[in-house]
Amino acid sequence: MSTASTPKTPGKVERLIEERIQKAFNPEELKITNDSHLHRHHAPMQGVSSTETHFRVRIVSSAFAKKPMLMRHREIFRLLDDEMKRVGGIHALVLDTKTPEEVAAAAQKTHGSP
Amino acid sequence: MSTENQAGVNNTGEPKGATGSTSDNISVANQVPKNLNELKDDQVLRKMLEQKKQEVVLYFWAAWAQHCKQVDTVIQDLAKKYTKTEFFRIEAEKFEGVSEAYDISAVPTVIVAKKDKIIGRVDGVNIPKLVQQIADCRAATNGITKQPSAGSVPADLKQDLNTRLKECINRAKVMVFIKGTPAQPRCGFSRKIIGLLNENKIKYGYFDILTDEEVRQGLKEYSDWPTFPQLYIKGELVGGLDIVTEMIPTGELIEMVPKESILS
């Protein structure tokens, strides 16, 4: 199982996200990217000193099998509900949720047959 | 409350029905007032707007939009009250040209037009706002400044938040809730989702959640979805940008979109 996050030391929120997702989905692959610096100048972000507001998360886990995307995303949102409701907490979450089979199938397609 | 139409005689010399309490108005509602027209020929509308100096109320509706029923009743009541104003019921999908001209992407929508200008607009089922707008426009025509309140709203037409949200979600077959407008999105994700809908030639209605905090927070709870943009098809949540993005190459999204919402 590989876990990769942004090169800088992960902040408190990022570590919290990682911890909860690990526990809930026991992922084969988990990658968290902190995009907050890209959104710092947005109106809603002014006055918020937090640098952990926008994240991209990629999770590969068999826990997602047979669950439609809507359900997968909802589960993750529920997991992080308190952090998303907190002022200065998570403002945006871009999710990429796949099962190991789906990843393999996608790889086949791109490296597919002639 | 003051009414313009006194119990008396109308243009053709027939006695009008008596206007009484709210419950009386509902039972008398079956008589369609003469100033309420169902649009059959858009030339009629064009001529009327050219000729009349006064405001004309345009009510865009669709048979499949359940929530129009509430507005149907209110429009009838308003037509009875403001006998000097012409009201048009316009079946939005039958009169695409007119709908486009007034930028109608969802129903019910009520426009108050004067000549070539739009002096009032109410998107969705917002009875207090509708009553207020028409009263204000009438008052403006009469040279009276804006009045604080223009008549009472019958209790059975007041809505709770859930009803309002359900109505919002169903205002168009494909409905997107974004930050900003399609012309001026105020968030990168909202901009992207509009781009995807346009690229895939999907007709949609939109709602700018930055203009309505009640809907913004209410929808998060109602749909159990904490972020925007949100895309709904036929009243059901499809998801946010990432889900919509993934559903495009697989063809899943287009499959969900009703034929009428695909631009040829």
Side-chain angles (χ1 to χ4, degrees):
Chain A
M1 179 195 65
S2 66
T3 312
S5 48
T6 39
K8 289 194 286 204
T9 326
K12 203 166 69 157
V13 178
E14 191 172 326
R15 278 179 284 140
L16 182 150
I17 297 175
E18 193 183 315
E19 206 181 284
R20 289 191 189 173
I21 292 181
Q22 290 280 18
K23 233 200 230 170
F25 301 106
N26 194 19
E28 281 192 10
E29 188 189 321
L30 172 60
K31 179 166 180 203
I32 304 173
T33 315
N34 185 342
D35 277 344
S36 312
H37 59 285
L38 298 172
H39 300 267
R40 230 190 349 228
H41 299 294
H42 280 191
M45 292 295 108
Q46 281 164 18
V48 173
S49 54
S50 166
T51 53
E52 297 197 276
T53 54
H54 292 64
F55 292 94
R56 250 180 307 148
V57 183
R58 174 179 164 89
I59 311 170
V60 180
S61 164
S62 25
F64 292 140
K66 297 215 166 78
K67 291 187 182 151
M69 264 193 289
L70 205 70
M71 199 182 281
R72 299 178 191 183
H73 290 208
R74 259 208 191 106
E75 276 187 33
I76 297 164
F77 288 143
R78 281 202 193 128
L79 207 58
L80 300 168
D81 188 55
D82 55 346
E83 277 303 308
M84 294 183 82
K85 290 206 168 113
R86 184 170 65 83
V87 174
I90 302 171
H91 181 78
L93 212 50
V94 179
L95 301 174
D96 178 8
T97 54
K98 297 229 162 32
T99 60
E101 292 77 24
E102 285 164 1
V103 174
Q108 270 236 343
K109 267 207 200 134
T110 47
H111 309 302
S113 38
Chain B
M1 103 180 149
S2 65
T3 48
E4 271 181 40
N5 53 332
Q6 312 296 320
V9 181
N10 67 11
N11 296 342
T12 61
E14 298 158 14
K16 280 186 189 164
T19 51
S21 63
T22 309
S23 54
D24 277 11
N25 282 344
I26 302 297
S27 64
V28 159
N30 292 328
Q31 299 172 5
V32 178
K34 285 202 160 61
N35 57 331
L36 176 58
N37 316 282
E38 183 74 50
L39 189 70
K40 294 260 155 48
D41 177 357
D42 57 5
Q43 291 298 337
V44 170
L45 178 60
R46 193 161 305 163
K47 281 212 188 90
M48 184 151 293
L49 285 167
E50 268 170 43
Q51 291 166 355
K52 262 192 175 284
K53 271 187 277 184
Q54 295 158 325
E55 72 280 7
V56 177
V57 178
L58 311 175
Y59 161 43
F60 293 84
W61 65 281
W64 49 261
Q66 290 295 340
H67 297 90
C68 287
K69 292 205 171 75
Q70 285 186 23
V71 181
D72 286 353
T73 316
V74 178
I75 291 285
Q76 260 203 25
D77 287 351
L78 289 169
K80 286 186 186 154
K81 180 170 176 165
Y82 299 107
T83 51
K84 295 205 181 78
T85 306
E86 287 297 320
F87 287 71
F88 280 89
R89 285 173 49 98
I90 303 172
E91 202 172 344
E93 282 159 344
K94 287 215 173 107
F95 293 95
E96 282 192 25
V98 183
S99 299
E100 257 192 66
Y102 289 98
D103 201 17
I104 306 295
S105 59
V107 290
T109 305
V110 179
I111 301 266
V112 186
K114 202 176 196 172
K115 292 271 179 189
D116 61 344
K117 294 211 169 16
I118 296 175
I119 59 170
R121 181 181 181 127
V122 183
D123 292 281
V125 184
N126 189 339
I127 311 296
K129 189 172 176 191
L130 181 56
V131 172
Q132 185 75 53
Q133 286 252 320
I134 294 190
D136 287 350
C137 292
R138 183 97 285 269
T141 308
N142 288 340
I144 304 167
T145 49
K146 190 168 172 176
Q147 296 163 328
S149 74
S152 55
V153 179
D156 57 355
L157 291 181
K158 285 209 179 102
Q159 298 171 280
D160 64 358
L161 180 59
N162 279 348
T163 312
R164 203 175 152 220
L165 294 174
K166 189 160 181 215
E167 177 271 318
C168 273
I169 291 167
N170 283 287
R171 275 163 56 187
K173 295 206 173 132
V174 178
M175 192 68 193
V176 69
F177 290 78
I178 53 174
K179 294 182 181 177
T181 64
Q184 277 201 317
R186 301 225 179 261
C187 144
F189 300 160
S190 291
R191 186 185 307 114
K192 288 207 181 105
I193 211 173
I194 294 293
L196 290 175
L197 292 170
N198 290 340
E199 270 164 37
N200 287 276
K201 305 234 185 306
I202 298 172
K203 234 188 329 190
Y204 59 89
Y206 78 90
F207 187 101
D208 180 357
I209 53 131
L210 297 177
T211 62
D212 195 321
E213 195 59 25
E214 197 184 49
V215 170
R216 182 179 182 171
Q217 299 309 330
L219 211 51
K220 286 183 188 174
E221 297 270 343
Y222 184 91
S223 297
D224 191 10
W225 196 264
T227 55
F228 291 99
Q230 292 184 8
L231 180 72
Y232 292 80
I233 296 183
K234 292 196 269 191
E236 289 217 22
L237 177 67
V238 171
L241 175 65
D242 16 18
I243 293 183
V244 171
T245 308
E246 271 191 58
M247 286 174 96
I248 287 177
T250 61
E252 262 180 276
L253 185 69
I254 294 291
E255 241 174 87
M256 292 186 74
V257 176
K259 239 195 311 177
E260 318 81 82
S261 299
I262 306 270
L263 296 161
S264 43

